[in-house]
């Protein structure tokens, strides 16, 4: 009897050990399954779902992220957009054009007509000519300021430019002005303003005027 009890105990211990090993193997197999199959599958599904949602939102114009591969038909709506420039200086506002720019705000007014026209035409030479040599050309917002890179015409609309402040140096006669600049890019593709996740992202632009020449010296993000 005692011999049988000892044998039974040994078998029980072996059984427990075997069960523990089998259980551990099962856990390891489950972890491997999770890491190699299930989790990647879930991650892929989430990514595909997010991409689909973005694409659907873009089609409906609700979520305004970068567009790509646009067809002429998808751009037809731009013809109906307001492309005029609303310009405000010292509390007085009006629509800025090449014809009335000087009357509205002298050389500064003409400068902003040239600026918007260069962006809308995709004219990198005319655009880069508007920046001072003092400008920090490593500024990521204005990677086209140097004129070394070209960019396609931009579909600007809802353009607003407002003078925030100005100061004239009595000794040099140089006037420094800071403008709030805001516009939309119709179905923005991110090839000019890559910082704009949505169709608009205001910037603060500092310009100096000296002897009738107006140039940009600084550009900063300015979100509402």
């Amino acid at each position: 009897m005692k011999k049988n009890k000892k044998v039974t105990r040994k078998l029980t211990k072996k059984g427990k050990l075997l069960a523990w090993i089998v259980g551990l193997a099962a856990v390891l197999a489950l972890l491997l399954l999770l890491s190699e199959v299930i989790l990647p599958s879930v991650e892929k599904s989430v990514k595909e779902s997010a991409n689909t949602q973005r694409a659907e939102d873009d089609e409906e114009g609700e979520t305004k992220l970068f567009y790509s591969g646009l067809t002429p038909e998808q751009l037809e709506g731009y013809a109906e957009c307001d492309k005029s420039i609303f310009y405000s200086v010292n509390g007085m506002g009006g629509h800025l054009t090449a014809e009335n720019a000087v009357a509205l705000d002298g050389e500064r007014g003409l400068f902003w007509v040239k600026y918007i026209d260069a962006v809308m035409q995709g004219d990198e030479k005319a655009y880069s000519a508007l920046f001072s040599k003092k400008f920090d050309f490593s500024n990521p917002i204005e990677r086209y300021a140097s004129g070394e890179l070209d960019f396609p015409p931009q579909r600007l609309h809802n353009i607003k430019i407002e003078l925030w402040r100005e100061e004239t140096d009595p000794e040099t006669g140089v006037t420094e002005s800071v403008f709030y600049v805001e516009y939309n890019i119709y179905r923005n593709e991110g090839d000019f303003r890559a910082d704009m996740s949505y169709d608009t992202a205001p910037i603060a632009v500092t310009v100096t005027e000296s002897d009738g020449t107006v140039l940009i010296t600084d550009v900063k993000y300015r979100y509402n």
Side-chain angles (χ1 to χ4, degrees), residues 24-182:
L24 179 61
V27 170
L28 291 174
L30 180 60
L31 290 174
L32 183 64
L33 181 66
L34 280 170
S35 63
E36 296 294 329
V37 180
I38 298 176
L39 290 179
S41 176
V42 171
E43 184 179 6
K44 182 181 178 182
S45 176
V46 169
K47 286 182 178 178
E48 289 178 350
S49 175
N51 288 334
T52 301
Q53 184 63 47
R54 284 199 294 271
E56 290 176 357
D57 285 347
D58 286 346
E59 288 292 328
E60 298 172 4
E62 295 175 1
T63 301
K64 303 176 181 67
L65 301 174
F66 295 153
Y67 290 80
S68 61
L70 294 172
T71 64
E73 290 75 18
Q74 290 174 306
L75 297 176
E76 289 177 353
Y78 181 55
E80 305 300 321
C81 293
D82 182 1
K83 306 172 190 66
S84 62
I85 306 170
F86 184 80
Y87 192 74
S88 177
V89 178
N90 300 324
M92 302 292 289
H95 288 97
L96 184 70
T97 66
E99 290 72 27
N100 70 5
V102 175
L104 277 178
D105 194 27
E107 292 301 320
R108 284 190 314 193
L110 189 58
F111 166 87
W112 284 111
V113 170
K114 293 177 181 178
Y115 177 93
I116 296 300
D117 184 66
V119 174
M120 294 181 74
Q121 297 299 323
D123 189 338
E124 70 276 4
K125 290 183 178 179
Y127 186 72
S128 64
L130 302 174
F131 288 81
S132 167
K133 292 180 179 179
K134 297 179 181 179
F135 183 78
D136 178 9
F137 291 98
S138 66
N139 187 327
I141 312 174
E142 291 293 352
R143 62 189 185 282
Y144 297 106
S146 65
E148 296 176 359
L149 300 172
D150 57 2
F151 59 90
Q154 298 298 300
R155 298 176 291 273
L156 303 191
H157 61 108
N158 294 338
I159 307 163
K160 300 173 185 176
I161 302 174
E162 179 184 355
L163 174 65
W164 269 355
R165 65 172 179 81
E166 62 180 333
E167 184 177 354
T168 301
D169 188 320
E171 295 184 2
T172 63
V174 176
T175 299
E176 182 179 84
S177 311
V178 179
F179 284 85
Y180 171 90
V181 181
E182 181 180 4

